[in-house]
Amino acid sequence: MSQAIPKTAKQWRITGYDGLDALKFTEEAIPILSDNQVLVQIQGASLNFRDIIIPLGKYPFSQKPNVVPGSDGAGTVLAVGKSVTRFKPGDKVVTILNQRHLAGSIDARSADSGLGASIDGTLRSIGAFDEQGLAKLLKRLGADYIINYQETPNWGEVAKALTGGIGVHLVVEVAGVLTMKQSVASLKLDGIMSVVGFVGGEGNGADAPNLLDPWLKHYTARGISVGSRQQMEDMCLAIEANLEKLRPIIDSRVFKLDQLKEAYKYLQAGENLGKVCIDTE
Ligand SMILES: NC(=O)c1ccc[n+]([C@@H]2O[C@H](COP(=O)([O-])OP(=O)(O)OC[C@H]3O[C@@H](n4cnc5c(N)ncnc54)[C@H](OP(=O)(O)O)[C@@H]3O)[C@@H](O)[C@H]2O)c1
């Protein structure tokens, strides 16, 4: 059943880089779709650490002034441009972060297409997205061990001990230079440390392992910048095949679109347990 298309959409824009007051809530006309664009009624978006650091002026990647923030979102296709072949009205879709990263390794052009930074993002009720930047959403915890890093500062050694002293195959390093030594301490020989963020703080060079360390300790360290559309689609398939085992961890508090600043502060203060979600309808 096709939905009526409203004339305007509510959205946030990042009007400066001096704090959360730079976020402005507006209502604007829905743009006329170009041939390769898809108009999406966004049903929900969720926040990332990245969304907070952009209006604080601390984001280290490319961004454009006055952008609509938000990289994560899911919704329903309302209309498609005349050259669009992958989607039709009614399809459920999900965004990918780097809108031009379709498959394979990231390149400079893909890295310059971050949703909610270089390209208008998901914190709006309806948005036009390029066909290439969407993936079909199919349908929609259990840890063996939990180590609290605040109570156990040497959590890397403790994690390694839990594997019988062998070490873990892969550590996803989200906290940054302040915790990398612990991540390395948890690794097995020939293990991998994927560096994805710095939510623990910026620290200084002295806190981090240097480039000789991977050789001395026999591990691989690499930076990862989200994934391609192909990987997103593979992930959706894996999720759908394991619906009984995988459940998203969503905070009990869901914010309305006009409460976005409150949501940013809630995430910034670390009050959340799971994803902070925004109801954009
Ligand atoms: N490269 C990429 O593709 C990519 C993709 C997504 C996110 N990121 C980046 O990854 C980082 C994390 O994002 P996220 O969305 O995963 O954040 P998140 O959901 O808030 O998770 C961060 C985790 O790190 C823990 N943590 C914080 N400080 C720590 C410390 N000093 N030592 C050990 N653990 C610590 C937090 O534990 P508590 O809550 O208990 O403090 C929390 O479990 C951010 O820098 C983000 O920009 C990068």
Side-chain angles (χ1 to χ4, degrees), residues 5-7 29-41 76-84 87-89 124 126-131 134:
I5 300 176
K7 300 259 179 290
I30 289 173
I32 294 165
L33 279 190
S34 66
D35 292 354
N36 290 301
Q37 283 189 315
V38 177
L39 192 69
V40 179
Q41 169 90 57
T76 306
V77 173
L78 291 177
V80 298
K82 68 172 191 246
S83 305
V84 169
F87 305 103
K88 59 181 188 321
R124 49 181 160 164
I126 296 177
F129 297 85
D130 284 353
E131 177 184 17
L134 299 170

Side-chain angles (χ1 to χ4, degrees), residues 231-247:
Q231 288 168 314
M232 172 64 112
E233 286 174 342
D234 288 349
M235 185 175 73
C236 288
L237 282 169
I239 291 170
E240 195 187 40
N242 291 282
L243 282 183
E244 298 311 312
K245 295 188 211 146
L246 296 173
R247 296 186 304 282

Side-chain angles (χ1 to χ4, degrees), residues 100-111 225-228 230-231:
R100 293 193 285 258
H101 187 193
L102 305 187
S105 297
I106 193 155
D107 55 24
R109 193 171 167 271
S110 316
S225 182
V226 282
S228 64
Q230 186 178 49
Q231 288 168 314

Side-chain angles (χ1 to χ4, degrees), residues 48-50 149-150 155 174-175 179 196-200 224-226 275:
N48 290 298
F49 176 66
R50 169 183 184 269
Y149 70 89
Q150 284 165 343
W155 53 263
V174 296
T179 60
V196 308
F198 58 97
V199 77
I224 296 218
S225 182
V226 282
K275 287 306 279 184

Side-chain angles (χ1 to χ4, degrees), residues 1-4 76-78 88-92:
M1 198 171 65
S2 66
Q3 271 181 268
T76 306
V77 173
L78 291 177
K88 59 181 188 321
D91 280 353
K92 301 282 187 198

Side-chain angles (χ1 to χ4, degrees), residues 93-107:
V93 290
V94 62
T95 52
I96 59 167
L97 191 143
N98 286 317
Q99 296 272 288
R100 293 193 285 258
H101 187 193
L102 305 187
S105 297
I106 193 155
D107 55 24

Side-chain angles (χ1 to χ4, degrees), residues 115-264:
L115 196 63
S118 308
I119 292 177
D120 284 341
T122 54
L123 287 164
R124 49 181 160 164
S125 53
I126 296 177
F129 297 85
D130 284 353
E131 177 184 17
Q132 61 190 8
L134 299 170
K136 267 195 191 164
L137 177 68
L138 295 165
K139 285 179 193 159
R140 346 186 247 160
L141 186 65
D144 288 326
Y145 301 102
I146 296 172
I147 308 169
N148 183 327
Y149 70 89
Q150 284 165 343
E151 292 165 1
T152 313
N154 64 333
W155 53 263
E157 293 153 38
V158 174
K160 187 167 192 168
L162 285 170
T163 66
I166 294 170
V168 305
H169 288 75
L170 170 70
V171 56
V172 181
E173 174 46 82
V174 296
V177 291
L178 295 174
T179 60
M180 276 178 191
K181 284 188 177 159
Q182 290 306 318
S183 293
V184 171
S186 72
L187 279 177
K188 80 178 199 35
L189 282 185
D190 210 21
I192 296 172
M193 173 168 70
S194 291
V195 179
V196 308
F198 58 97
V199 77
E202 287 159 50
N204 64 53
D207 299 313
N210 66 34
L211 283 174
L212 271 183
D213 208 50
W215 173 63
L216 291 168
K217 298 195 178 119
H218 304 287
Y219 67 93
T220 301
R222 65 182 184 203
I224 296 218
S225 182
V226 282
S228 64
R229 183 179 69 190
Q230 186 178 49
Q231 288 168 314
M232 172 64 112
E233 286 174 342
D234 288 349
M235 185 175 73
C236 288
L237 282 169
I239 291 170
E240 195 187 40
N242 291 282
L243 282 183
E244 298 311 312
K245 295 188 211 146
L246 296 173
R247 296 186 304 282
I249 312 297
I250 292 176
D251 191 78
S252 55
R253 212 168 150 195
V254 174
F255 294 82
K256 293 278 180 200
L257 189 57
D258 62 1
Q259 298 173 310
L260 187 70
K261 281 191 197 174
E262 226 180 297
Y264 270 53

